[in-house]
Amino acid sequence: MVDYDLNGVEEDMSFLEMLDVLNEELVAKGEEPVEFDHDCREGICGTCSLMINGQPHGPDSRITVCQLHMRSFNDGDSIVIEPFRAKAFPVIKDLIVDRTAFDRIQQAGGYISVNTSGRPVDANAIPIEKDMADKSFNAATCIGCGACVAACKNASAMLFTSAKVSQFALLPQGQVEAAERVQNMVRQMDLEGFGNCTNTGACEVECPKGISLENIARMNREYLSASVKG
Amino acid sequence: MSGLTKSSIARKVVMALSGFFLVFFLAQHFTINFTSVIAPDTFNEWSHFMGYNPLVQYILQPILIAGVIIHFVMGFVLELQNNRARGVKYVKFKGSANASWVSRNMIISGLVVLAFLALHFYDFWVHEMAYKYIEFKPQDPTRYHAETVEKFAPMWRTVIYVVSFVLLALHLWHGFASAFQSMGVNNKYTPSIKAFTKVFAVVIPLGFVFIALYHHFNPLTH
């Protein structure tokens, strides 16, 4: 841990802008800047990933770090910033962690196979109940930031994996590979070294997109059903 | 056991199923124990049945012991794996911001209940085994109530039992509802299921507390 004193922080600055100011000061003094991940800065890409005062994405709910503003803190506060910590998220440098474990879980089954030649059927031609479409869409809003893993006392990736399983499991297009998908994605999740879910619900509370624990229950059902059917 | 531990979801299912079984046993145990307060003769009768019925003794009892062992061994396995999943710990981790103390510390409440079970087995099960299979004493269908009441005469034992039941309540508060989630049950009935599990988690352990205190403060007069 390194302590930095920072002056001139405006309450309207975003948290990442505050880090920009810090890094500009460090560079001006000829010191190494603090490395941190960021990209879209509008809460969509899931790239920013900081543990701020013991909470992923900081103290406010339903936002990512880039949407967190310095008005959420008091003047003179000491703020503890750490990278997301999990065996499956090795630290690359300073506050940047390697979250490619999520990519590998996706690659293990987070897709549907569709013929692209001949006469592909328009996806919109398949009627889907509004309730199912909404649930699938909500699951698909997961941005894969890793806050669920960071918040979980067990560093479990069940919420992420279950969202990626659910977004397909709820749609007719996802049924063909349903059993194979859930088994392969859970297998990959376990191989990556994430912990086991103990249903504390911390992931749901800290998820910037509000992904529900219902998805974990759905994945458990899908997995059990796939295992029983062999 | 290796097959049971091959996936994280399978491990949770094992915890949930063994937990459900133990919850069912607890309800049955409470029902019999409660008769020791309201109907000592019924308590003697039921205890004698449980102690000498071959189905209970040679089939259900081993299943119960296996259920307890599977539940706590799997609990330790999960705890160790979960610990390893975060090798480097956070300098600052605000667990209370997003999850209850009870849900984050099932290992503590579980260990207290396990330690209590050791005492409880020594108090009643070992005593029964010695009575029947070592000392070869004759069957006495009237002894159970008096033996039970006498066990709660010492203050230290009553206090240990009461504290353990409180920790059992905390364990059930999270564990019973959690088992449904692990089994994939999360739907429109979940609020009702949660309400039932919370009531169970409070009423049954408090009932055991009441029984322990009742016998402590109402000793038999010979």
Side-chain angles (χ1 to χ4, degrees):
Chain A
M1 295 289 281
V2 183
D3 290 335
Y4 296 104
D5 285 324
L6 193 60
N7 295 312
V9 176
E10 301 288 335
E11 61 179 16
D12 292 332
M13 280 180 181
S14 78
F15 200 85
L16 296 186
E17 283 168 345
M18 180 274 291
L19 288 176
D20 290 338
V21 170
L22 169 67
N23 279 345
E24 281 166 13
E25 277 191 15
L26 291 173
V27 171
K29 285 192 282 187
E31 294 179 25
E32 276 277 303
V34 178
E35 301 278 351
F36 63 94
D37 254 339
H38 62 98
D39 191 12
C40 75
R41 298 208 176 200
E42 52 187 13
I44 298 170
C45 70
T47 308
C48 50
S49 55
L50 300 176
M51 197 74 172
I52 300 165
N53 283 343
Q55 285 183 268
H57 298 304
D60 295 353
S61 59
R62 297 282 187 273
I63 58 166
T64 52
V65 176
C66 59
Q67 295 169 301
L68 176 68
H69 287 77
M70 296 314 293
R71 53 180 167 269
S72 297
F73 303 90
N74 297 316
D75 199 17
D77 275 0
S78 289
I79 303 173
V80 178
I81 311 171
E82 294 176 78
F84 284 179
R85 293 199 188 279
K87 191 177 124 195
F89 286 170
V91 174
I92 296 172
K93 191 178 181 193
D94 296 341
L95 299 170
I96 299 179
V97 296
D98 178 358
R99 284 169 287 174
T100 52
F102 272 10
D103 298 339
R104 290 187 290 275
I105 293 173
Q106 276 282 61
Q107 287 157 7
Y111 53 80
I112 55 169
S113 303
V114 177
N115 289 329
T116 53
S117 59
R119 295 176 58 199
V121 179
D122 187 340
N124 292 328
I126 302 172
I128 296 166
E129 281 175 49
K130 176 82 169 74
D131 183 44
M132 287 293 142
D134 286 349
K135 282 183 175 171
S136 172
F137 184 81
N138 287 343
T141 58
C142 166
I143 53 177
C145 65
C148 46
V149 174
C152 178
K153 78 178 190 68
N154 312 319
S156 166
M158 288 281 275
L159 194 67
F160 165 80
T161 310
S162 69
K164 299 305 173 192
V165 165
S166 287
Q167 71 184 59
F168 296 116
L170 288 158
L171 300 178
Q173 291 92 331
Q175 295 309 310
V176 181
E177 294 147 307
E180 202 180 325
R181 174 182 306 113
V182 69
Q183 287 181 315
N184 289 343
M185 291 180 81
V186 169
R187 187 181 302 118
Q188 189 62 39
M189 177 184 79
D190 291 341
L191 281 174
E192 297 291 348
F194 291 106
N196 305 284
C197 174
T198 51
N199 304 321
T200 67
C203 52
E204 183 184 55
V205 174
E206 296 295 351
C207 175
K209 300 300 165 187
I211 303 294
S212 163
L213 289 179
E214 275 179 39
N215 293 297
I216 295 182
R218 183 176 300 105
M219 180 167 76
N220 292 348
R221 284 198 301 276
E222 290 270 320
Y223 187 85
L224 285 173
S225 155
S227 303
V228 169
K229 287 174 188 165
Chain B
M1 287 289 281
S2 62
L4 297 177
T5 58
K6 68 177 180 179
S7 96
S8 54
I9 294 180
R11 286 189 287 272
K12 284 304 297 172
V13 166
V14 169
M15 274 310 264
L17 290 178
S18 55
F20 278 137
F21 172 68
L22 295 176
V23 162
F24 178 75
F25 166 74
L26 203 62
Q28 177 266 128
H29 196 344
F30 174 75
T31 307
I32 294 176
N33 282 23
F34 196 61
T35 61
S36 71
V37 172
I38 57 171
D41 290 342
T42 308
F43 180 73
N44 277 334
E45 193 183 323
W46 287 3
S47 299
H48 186 71
F49 172 80
M50 300 297 275
Y52 285 92
N53 182 281
L55 178 70
V56 174
Q57 282 298 298
Y58 304 122
I59 296 178
L60 297 183
Q61 188 168 260
I63 291 175
L64 172 65
I65 292 170
V68 171
I69 292 172
I70 287 170
H71 195 73
F72 81 71
V73 167
M74 190 58 83
F76 288 139
V77 169
L78 287 167
E79 183 66 19
L80 288 173
Q81 287 181 334
N82 292 343
N83 231 340
R84 277 203 297 267
R86 179 167 289 131
V88 180
K89 308 296 178 201
Y90 288 111
V91 171
K92 190 169 184 177
F93 185 68
K94 204 171 171 186
S96 60
N98 45 44
S100 66
W101 185 92
V102 178
S103 71
R104 289 180 285 120
N105 292 284
M106 289 294 276
I107 191 71
I108 294 175
S109 54
L111 277 171
V112 172
V113 172
L114 183 61
F116 161 75
L117 278 182
L119 173 66
H120 190 53
F121 260 54
Y122 174 76
D123 280 348
F124 291 94
W125 190 77
V126 172
H127 167 76
E128 276 302 300
M129 293 299 113
Y131 187 97
K132 287 186 287 195
Y133 304 121
I134 297 173
E135 297 162 10
F136 294 108
K137 288 186 180 173
Q139 292 192 17
D140 177 7
T142 62
R143 67 188 165 94
Y144 301 97
H145 183 258
E147 284 179 2
T148 303
V149 175
E150 274 168 23
K151 278 279 188 275
F152 290 102
M155 176 64 94
W156 66 267
R157 183 182 276 115
T158 307
V159 168
I160 289 176
Y161 271 57
V162 168
V163 170
S164 303
F165 292 140
V166 171
L167 270 293
L168 174 65
L170 296 179
H171 201 73
L172 288 170
W173 184 265
H174 175 70
F176 196 4
S178 174
F180 283 94
Q181 166 79 7
S182 292
M183 292 305 296
V185 179
N186 190 331
N187 51 38
K188 62 180 177 180
Y189 302 110
T190 295
S192 308
I193 291 171
K194 273 193 178 171
F196 169 73
T197 60
K198 304 295 182 199
V199 169
F200 185 96
V202 173
V203 169
I204 298 296
L206 273 188
F208 278 117
V209 168
F210 168 74
I211 294 167
L213 292 177
Y214 182 86
H215 291 319
H216 178 73
F217 290 111
N218 294 282
L220 294 175
T221 48
H222 296 287

